[in-house]
Amino acid sequence: MKTSPSKYGNTLEFGHWIGGEEVWEGKALERRNPSDRSDVVARFPEASKDLLRRAARIAREAFERWSRTPAPVRGVTLLNFATALTREKETIARLLVREVGKTLKEARGDVQEAIDTAVFFASEGRRLYGQTVPSEMVGKELFTFRRPLGVVGMITAGNFPIAVPSWKIIPAVLTGNTVVWKPSDDSPALSLLFVRLFEEAGLPPGVLNVVFGGGGGATGEWLVELMDEGLFNKFAFTGSSAVGRRIGEIAGRNLIRPTLELGGKNPLVVMRDADIELAVEGAWWSAFATGGQRCTSAGNILVDAPIYEEFKRRFLERTEATVVGNPLQAEPVTYGPFMNERFYAGWARHYEWASQDGAKLLLGKGRITAENPYPHFKGDPDAGYFGWPTVWEAAPGMKIFETEVFGPTINLVRVNGIEEAIIAANAHPYGLSSSIYTNHRGWAYLFKNGIKAGMTSINNSTVGAEAHLPFGGIRASGNGARESGIWVIEEYTYWQAVNEEYSGRLQLAQMDTEYAQAKEPTDWSKTLGI
């Protein structure tokens, strides 16, 4: 690794990390600070398909050793990793603010989630339980064991550059797998630091390999294609639903079970009996945390008709006070820049098609610039891509209601009663997160049973996750796989059934089993005279 001075710290120059060694190979890329694009954070190479093959083969070699390492010992490595992350938490968080554009508060939370995940799974090394199962034969015992799958191909997004990789990598290596990981090209420096700290914690070389590059038509696509060459036994992906479907197709024809954590259009319902102040705060945070660049960000706020106008007034007041800006120069800000120009361009297009579809713009003027100023902006708006907090009035059936908009945009939708709220909450293709604000236990019950989503909050926001609770969605939000908590272990292991014969002879289940024989039945009604 090489360093040179830059505006907010050093520019880092580094290669891929494969088999415990730095590999300088591939076309040169760079990552700029999204809050101030004059600041070069990192220079790094783009991996070729041949290099990806090499990384997968090195991971295969490492698997032969790592899979035989006792699980409790693997767990100690995770505890060491948690200690390293804790020691470097502030350094990682400040790099995260610079490289990705999050606020310092959110960056610290991102790192803490990885620490919590590592601590949780460190103990799971002593709890990779199988079962002892009774046999129907004498002199025979049955057992089940969890076994690692092999080499995992992995692609993660840049909006949670420490937390989301930890959800995948930590349980994968705990259960004995090895990994070839392509992180987002929005967070290369953070990803290299993640791997280096893991190896400092005792993870053997080759167990976790990081390769850099872009997505479609580049490194990410080539990594996916290696499933067709038999180089991966598992694939894990966080990103768009469209790409997830493509990965699912390739995994399916190779009989690989993928983990797909995809997009969302998450409903937040506010019923007529809700604590409006609490609901406004939760809805505002769900919409604008991380500038709406979360798969769990609220997409539609469905407000019960009797309180709709009051909620709208209060919500617009809260949103108009949102502070936007460069989090390296001003704290606190609610959110910073778009992570890259591509995300900004995708978000900017929604203004046109939302208007064409009949949605009513209540707040928002597109990109914040010196010529299009936002009254609560901190820093130089022309140094990056910053978006106005945007609020629409919309209705089911509109494109803006059904389509994920990855940015600081939210829809207000009027509904009448709990049944209409649930119908509207499900009237889009996704099924990731959801929320309802109500003090009526019956309505809360109807909602959590009627909503089509992998996660539901009651009187809380659509965003936020705890390290020991399953995370994931259904429909266009995922394939039912879950991350975090004990449930993710199913994604990185298979069950092996073992039977041990002690009788010294061949015993055939079902055929040689000495089943109990029923006796002639007694007519108890006659015996009892009833």
Side-chain angles (χ1 to χ4, degrees):
M1 179 187 293
K2 303 176 183 178
T3 62
S4 57
S6 189
K7 189 171 183 179
Y8 295 94
N10 287 336
T11 297
L12 308 178
E13 298 184 36
F14 50 83
H16 317 283
W17 195 259
I18 300 173
E21 297 180 353
E22 197 169 16
V23 179
W24 291 76
E25 183 178 311
K27 181 179 71 174
L29 304 174
E30 66 180 19
R31 173 60 178 170
R32 292 180 176 267
N33 178 346
S35 297
D36 186 344
R37 293 181 57 77
S38 67
D39 173 36
V40 179
V41 180
R43 294 189 177 95
F44 56 98
E46 180 176 59
S48 66
K49 199 167 187 177
D50 283 341
L51 183 64
L52 299 178
R53 290 190 184 99
R54 193 191 321 166
R57 291 180 181 123
I58 287 173
R60 178 70 60 192
E61 293 172 4
F63 174 74
E64 297 305 318
R65 301 185 301 274
W66 183 243
S67 62
R68 292 195 296 271
T69 301
V73 176
R74 298 195 297 255
V76 171
T77 305
L78 300 187
L79 195 59
N80 295 342
F81 184 47
T83 301
L85 288 173
T86 302
R87 184 190 73 230
E88 302 294 342
K89 178 178 177 179
E90 194 65 15
T91 299
I92 299 170
R94 292 188 179 277
L95 175 59
L96 205 154
V97 175
R98 181 182 172 209
E99 189 169 40
V100 177
K102 279 191 175 183
T103 65
L104 185 58
K105 179 180 179 179
E106 286 199 54
R108 287 170 175 153
D110 198 314
V111 182
Q112 187 61 48
E113 191 159 351
I115 294 169
D116 294 345
T117 301
V119 170
F120 178 88
F121 281 104
S123 301
E124 290 304 307
R126 296 184 182 274
R127 285 193 293 268
L128 287 179
Y129 299 144
Q131 290 182 312
T132 302
V133 182
S135 174
E136 65 189 52
M137 316 294 289
V138 176
K140 188 176 184 180
E141 291 184 330
L142 309 179
F143 309 90
T144 63
F145 297 89
R146 287 191 182 275
R147 304 300 189 196
L149 295 169
V151 180
V152 183
M154 197 172 288
I155 296 175
T156 57
N159 56 345
F160 284 85
I162 299 296
V164 168
S166 76
W167 294 355
K168 294 174 167 59
I169 292 169
I170 286 173
V173 301
L174 171 77
T175 50
N177 302 282
T178 56
V179 177
V180 179
W181 172 37
K182 193 210 83 68
S184 169
D185 51 358
D186 292 328
S187 56
L190 289 160
S191 304
L192 181 70
L193 183 56
F194 186 100
V195 175
R196 295 296 299 273
L197 286 174
F198 221 146
E199 290 199 356
E200 286 178 18
L203 194 70
V207 173
L208 175 56
N209 308 276
V210 63
V211 291
F212 300 111
T219 305
E221 186 172 331
W222 301 330
L223 192 72
V224 172
E225 290 173 355
L226 292 190
M227 283 190 281
D228 279 333
E229 297 184 22
L231 292 176
F232 294 129
N233 308 100
K234 168 76 180 178
F235 209 94
F237 172 75
T238 296
S240 73
S241 300
V243 175
R245 287 188 176 94
R246 169 71 173 154
I247 291 172
E249 290 173 5
I250 296 174
R253 67 173 175 247
N254 287 284
L255 301 181
I256 291 173
R257 188 180 70 221
T259 294
L260 303 175
E261 198 276 288
L262 311 176
K265 190 69 175 179
N266 307 294
L268 185 149
V269 173
V270 184
M271 294 303 297
R272 64 192 67 187
D273 70 318
D275 179 331
I276 293 185
E277 183 177 352
L278 178 65
V280 165
E281 192 68 12
W284 170 79
W285 182 250
S286 297
F288 300 112
T290 324
Q293 296 172 99
R294 296 185 182 211
C295 57
T296 54
S297 294
N300 297 311
I301 302 174
L302 311 169
V303 186
D304 208 356
I307 61 166
Y308 180 83
E309 294 300 330
E310 175 67 10
F311 180 90
K312 180 172 74 170
R313 181 185 66 80
R314 292 200 200 183
F315 183 77
L316 287 173
E317 286 179 357
R318 184 68 181 93
T319 303
E320 287 167 353
T322 300
V323 181
V324 183
N326 181 345
L328 286 164
Q329 293 182 332
E331 282 287 345
V333 298
T334 303
Y335 65 84
F338 283 92
M339 285 186 291
N340 56 51
E341 184 178 1
R342 184 181 75 255
F343 285 170
Y344 160 71
W347 174 79
R349 286 193 292 269
H350 94 275
Y351 274 88
E352 181 179 355
W353 48 257
S355 297
Q356 290 175 347
D357 216 15
K360 180 181 178 181
L361 183 62
L362 301 178
L363 179 68
K365 296 182 181 179
R367 182 182 175 185
I368 301 169
T369 64
E371 295 182 355
N372 182 34
Y374 175 68
H376 302 294
F377 188 85
K378 306 295 184 182
D380 177 6
D382 294 323
Y385 294 93
F386 299 87
W388 270 70
T390 301
V391 183
W392 299 87
E393 272 189 323
M398 293 182 179
K399 184 176 180 180
I400 187 69
F401 181 93
E402 297 178 347
T403 306
E404 182 179 29
V405 179
F406 206 64
T409 289
I410 190 67
N411 303 321
L412 296 181
V413 181
R414 186 193 299 263
V415 294
N416 195 352
I418 186 63
E419 293 183 2
E420 186 174 315
I422 293 172
I423 291 170
N426 289 325
H428 57 82
Y430 296 94
L432 185 57
S433 186
S434 60
S435 173
I436 185 170
Y437 282 82
T438 181
N439 292 308
H440 191 297
R441 293 185 65 191
W443 292 346
Y445 173 83
L446 289 173
F447 184 78
K448 70 183 181 182
N449 281 276
I451 190 67
K452 296 176 181 176
M455 299 175 289
T456 298
S457 293
I458 298 171
N459 293 322
N460 203 346
S461 69
T462 62
V463 300
E466 298 192 35
H468 52 286
L469 198 65
F471 185 99
I474 59 173
R475 301 199 290 171
S477 293
N479 63 336
R482 289 295 177 265
E483 299 185 303
S484 296
I486 59 172
W487 300 269
V488 71
I489 293 174
E490 294 291 337
E491 300 301 317
Y492 294 101
T493 58
Y494 68 90
W495 283 107
Q496 180 189 33
V498 175
N499 72 79
E500 294 189 14
E501 182 64 73
Y502 301 105
S503 68
R505 65 183 187 278
L506 176 63
Q507 298 190 89
L508 303 176
Q510 293 92 46
M511 290 177 277
D512 295 336
T513 303
E514 295 181 4
Y515 292 108
Q517 299 299 315
K519 298 179 180 179
E520 284 294 322
T522 300
D523 188 343
W524 289 101
S525 64
K526 180 182 291 187
T527 301
L528 297 172
I530 297 175

